[in-house]
Amino acid sequence: AQLYQVLNDECLPRWKVILNQALMDNVAAIIDAGSLLAGVTNADAAKYLISNPLFNFEEFCGVQYFEMNCMDNGNLILNGQWMVLDARTNLSEPRYRYSKNDANTFILFDDARCRGADKKMDIDATAALTLGIKMTKDVLMQGAGRLRQLGQRQKLLVYCPDIIYKN
């Protein structure tokens, strides 16, 4: 894993700084174990990513994220489900209906999905893992575990706030 300090940008909220950095680093996923994307919904983060000129349209056809209390065929899904925001149509649909593989989507793992959510990322995928204050080793390891081939060909970049980086 490689450590990155999350830069403080007085003009942008932290979640935008993190998403911008992830796009500049050309990662395939953000694993927000440190809850640094607090303040934005997963759907809004997905919209921000595909509207960003740095989004890699050649590699990713959309952004996959988990949405609570969403509609599916007119039915309210209270426990939520994985959704894909298609980068070309700008429309969201449930993951089970989306025809592309997980490896063809940029994946957002919010803090609640850092444990037990399996997505089949490319064998050479790089993901960004966020660190937060008072985060436990268990949370860190569960987040890193989203990369099933970590240590072989998959890689992690670690993003953290200044207070962690300086200590």
Side-chain angles (χ1 to χ4, degrees):
Q2 188 171 355
L3 185 65
Y4 278 95
Q5 174 184 6
V6 174
L7 304 174
N8 284 330
D9 187 326
E10 299 293 325
C11 300
L12 291 175
R14 183 182 346 199
W15 65 268
K16 285 186 178 182
V17 174
I18 292 167
L19 296 179
N20 289 344
Q21 186 65 50
L23 292 174
M24 286 187 282
D25 290 336
N26 199 33
V27 300
I30 295 177
I31 304 166
D32 190 28
S35 301
L36 298 185
L37 296 180
V40 64
T41 66
N42 293 338
D44 286 342
K47 290 174 191 170
Y48 181 81
L49 285 166
I50 66 167
S51 69
N52 192 308
L54 295 172
F55 187 79
N56 188 343
F57 288 94
E58 291 178 15
E59 187 172 350
F60 305 117
C61 55
V63 177
Q64 194 171 160
Y65 61 95
F66 195 86
E67 185 170 314
M68 294 296 295
N69 303 330
C70 54
M71 299 297 289
D72 185 11
N73 286 335
N75 298 315
L76 179 62
I77 310 296
L78 292 175
N79 294 328
Q81 65 184 341
W82 284 95
M83 303 289 288
V84 177
L85 176 62
D86 188 277
R88 284 144 193 90
T89 65
N90 229 11
L91 298 173
S92 289
E93 65 180 290
R95 171 65 189 100
Y96 73 87
R97 276 199 241 135
Y98 199 68
S99 62
K100 306 291 184 186
N101 295 328
D102 290 339
N104 298 115
T105 61
F106 187 103
I107 303 172
L108 283 174
F109 292 95
D110 60 9
D111 58 345
R113 255 48 61 191
C114 288
R115 177 183 294 273
D118 274 335
K119 297 293 173 184
K120 294 183 181 177
M121 289 184 262
D122 191 70
I123 192 72
D124 293 321
T126 300
L129 174 72
T130 66
L131 297 182
I133 299 170
K134 297 184 181 178
M135 190 170 145
T136 64
K137 179 182 174 185
D138 177 60
V139 172
L140 172 71
M141 297 307 291
Q142 286 292 330
R146 298 314 93 217
L147 289 175
R148 298 299 184 191
Q149 303 298 319
L150 185 61
Q152 294 175 30
R153 290 169 50 188
Q154 291 180 338
K155 299 178 202 146
L156 273 179
L157 300 179
V158 179
Y159 295 168
C160 64
D162 283 341
I163 192 164
I164 293 173
Y165 184 75
K166 289 177 182 174
N167 292 326

